[in-house]
Amino acid sequence: MLKQIEGSRAMAEAIGLCRPEVICAYPITPQTHIVEGLSEMVGDGHLTGCEFINVESEFAALSVAIGASAAGARAYTATSSQGLLFMMEAVYNASGLGLPIVMTLGNRAIGAPINIWNDHSDAMSVRDAGWIMLFAETNQEAADLHIQAFKLAEELSCPVMVNVDGFILTHAVERVDVPDQEQVDAFLPPFDPVQVIDPAAPISIGAMVGPDAFMEVRYLAHHKQMRALDLIPALAAEFKQVFGRESGGLVRPYRTEGAETIVIAMGSVIGTIKDMVDAMRADGHKVGALSICSFRPFPLEEVRAALYDARRVVVLEKALAVGMGGILASHVRMALRGHGTRVYTLIAGLGGRPITQASLTRFMDMVKGEPHADVHFLDLKHDVIEAELARAAGTRRAGPIAENVLRRVTPGGVL
């Protein structure tokens, strides 16, 4: 059914149609509306057979989901930013135990200083925790990916994290085709857990594993991710058959045929990039775009094939590996190892800074005149940075930017 609906509510309705049996909730902006919507559905009887549990922290939210999943329930939770960091130990435990939990991550910057707006810093902090990590471009895809995520998680016995850009998607009201229960039931079978804790046959889980077996445990987690490289596109094709639209998959090229320059990104910024590509193509420039939907597992072969004929690649990143540069770009460089394609890292949108078509177009014009540095920061305020560095060098004390941060964390400051 077509609805004009907030992204978070569309996701909540799609998750509810997946018939979760335990939902563990702790509010943190910008994911709160998702679990609020689910709580209403449980409370008014629209979502039956489900226990909605309010917990005291994000760590408790995922811990309860772990217990519920281990006991054989279809479990779901959501978090963002600092909340993900707070549950970090449980994030590794969920994947290490092979539990098919689905979690929404409303992508948001990590402090300090406090910032509630969107970037991908939180997701990148857990990229090696063993979760499958999918990124949504639109709210339609965000809703669809959750339906696919439950099936993917349960077929692999592996947790899945659906990443949706905070505020840009979670709070945007737009048209979404929310499926009906019959469609979801045709795609997603009832949960048949591979492992269940049974009081009649007690076992230990998560017990100590020594050097004689730990490497094998980690390899098995890696093996599941490699299997997902085949399963993710297969489920996307099956989803299209049932629901009549394309959604998910590993990568999605956009006007890459004959492109000399291809821009790569994840999440909602792909929409702006597509608009830029259309405008530049109309002016005769050979540019294209590539959206990465599956960051974990990372589709090296598919990325290599999509970029093989490009002269240069621009990787737009909404996260920064401090002291290094790009995270997604390092993966792209691995995909293109041995190939002569020049890869540029473009750090953009940190802390929710707008990424405009005009700024992207200026950058694209600049990189045509190679060579340039590998790492660039879009719309960086160089005058502010230079003044700050000069002040710090001359006075050996914090400049205005640092002082502002300190004021926010000292007694009497504004949080």
Side-chain angles (χ1 to χ4, degrees):
M1 178 185 295
L2 289 175
K3 296 184 178 182
Q4 192 75 6
I5 190 172
E6 185 194 53
S8 291
R9 182 70 194 200
M11 285 179 259
E13 292 192 14
I15 293 161
L17 292 170
C18 294
R19 302 184 187 274
E21 296 166 290
V22 175
I23 296 171
C24 321
Y26 188 83
I28 181 172
T29 300
Q31 66 83 16
T32 305
H33 289 183
I34 301 172
V35 291
E36 280 183 347
L38 287 164
S39 72
E40 293 172 5
M41 294 161 63
V42 173
D44 63 19
H46 281 85
L47 178 53
T48 60
C50 179
E51 185 173 0
F52 188 94
I53 304 174
N54 285 309
V55 294
E56 75 276 10
S57 71
E58 290 89 356
F59 181 83
L62 189 51
S63 297
V64 171
I66 287 172
S69 183
R74 181 174 280 167
Y76 169 82
T77 190
T79 193
S80 297
S81 185
Q82 319 291 99
L84 180 67
L85 298 188
F86 190 27
M87 63 168 62
M88 184 68 80
E89 181 181 352
V91 170
Y92 275 81
N93 286 341
S95 59
L97 294 171
L99 298 173
I101 299 164
V102 172
M103 178 166 69
T104 308
L105 183 61
N107 297 122
R108 170 187 145 185
I110 291 174
I114 293 173
N115 180 289
I116 65 168
W117 291 274
N118 166 250
D119 65 28
H120 292 164
S121 301
D122 49 5
M124 294 300 103
S125 73
V126 296
R127 62 187 181 274
D128 296 324
W131 288 59
I132 291 172
M133 301 177 69
L134 307 176
F135 280 79
E137 177 184 339
T138 64
N139 276 329
Q140 181 67 70
E141 188 170 48
D144 294 346
L145 283 179
H146 283 88
I147 300 170
Q148 296 179 48
F150 279 102
K151 190 164 187 175
L152 179 62
E154 290 164 13
E155 290 201 17
L156 292 173
S157 287
C158 178
V160 177
M161 185 183 300
V162 181
N163 290 270
V164 294
D165 285 342
F167 295 107
I168 299 172
L169 293 183
T170 58
H171 288 57
V173 176
E174 59 185 13
R175 191 177 75 165
V176 177
D177 187 356
V178 180
D180 57 41
Q181 189 66 66
E182 290 73 19
Q183 286 179 304
V184 177
D185 288 345
F187 178 81
L188 179 64
F191 183 33
D192 182 18
V194 174
Q195 54 185 357
V196 180
I197 293 178
D198 183 1
I203 60 172
S204 295
I205 64 171
M208 181 177 290
V209 172
D212 58 326
F214 190 78
M215 185 178 292
E216 286 71 21
V217 172
R218 298 305 293 168
Y219 173 80
L220 290 172
H222 175 70
H223 179 69
K224 290 180 182 180
Q225 296 258 340
M226 294 302 98
R227 285 179 56 203
L229 287 173
D230 294 324
L231 188 54
I232 289 171
L235 289 181
E238 182 183 348
F239 185 91
K240 182 180 180 180
Q241 288 182 338
V242 175
F243 297 87
R245 58 178 174 270
E246 291 187 357
S247 194
L250 297 171
V251 301
R252 287 187 300 277
Y254 182 76
R255 304 190 73 173
T256 55
E257 304 84 1
E260 295 180 353
T261 304
I262 296 178
V263 184
I264 301 178
M266 301 188 297
S268 61
V269 72
I270 288 292
T272 303
I273 293 171
K274 287 179 178 178
D275 290 342
M276 179 201 68
V277 167
D278 290 342
M280 294 189 73
R281 281 276 186 173
D283 290 337
H285 302 287
K286 297 178 180 179
V287 298
L290 183 68
S291 173
I292 306 292
C293 181
S294 171
F295 181 69
R296 281 291 184 273
F298 191 78
L300 288 169
E301 296 297 330
E302 289 74 11
V303 170
R304 181 183 297 114
L307 303 179
Y308 193 81
D309 294 327
R311 288 182 53 193
R312 66 186 69 82
V313 172
V314 174
V315 184
L316 190 153
E317 310 231 18
K318 298 180 79 171
L320 171 64
V322 177
M324 175 62 184
I327 300 170
L328 178 59
S330 67
H331 292 58
V332 173
R333 289 189 176 95
M334 184 178 294
L336 292 173
R337 60 192 181 277
H339 197 269
T341 305
R342 184 69 183 267
V343 179
Y344 295 99
T345 302
L346 180 61
I347 308 296
L350 299 187
R353 180 166 295 184
I355 301 173
T356 67
Q357 184 177 332
S359 292
L360 288 176
T361 303
R362 284 194 297 270
F363 178 80
M364 295 292 286
D365 289 337
M366 184 194 75
V367 296
K368 290 178 184 176
E370 296 182 31
H372 288 283
D374 289 338
V375 181
H376 299 259
F377 292 80
L378 188 68
D379 294 334
L380 186 68
K381 298 176 181 178
H382 292 281
D383 55 340
V384 175
I385 296 297
E386 290 169 1
E388 183 79 4
L389 293 174
R391 177 185 174 95
T395 65
R396 295 185 179 274
R397 63 187 293 267
I401 294 177
E403 286 177 348
N404 182 59
V405 172
L406 291 173
R407 280 197 299 272
R408 290 176 177 269
V409 297
T410 52
V414 179
L415 291 177

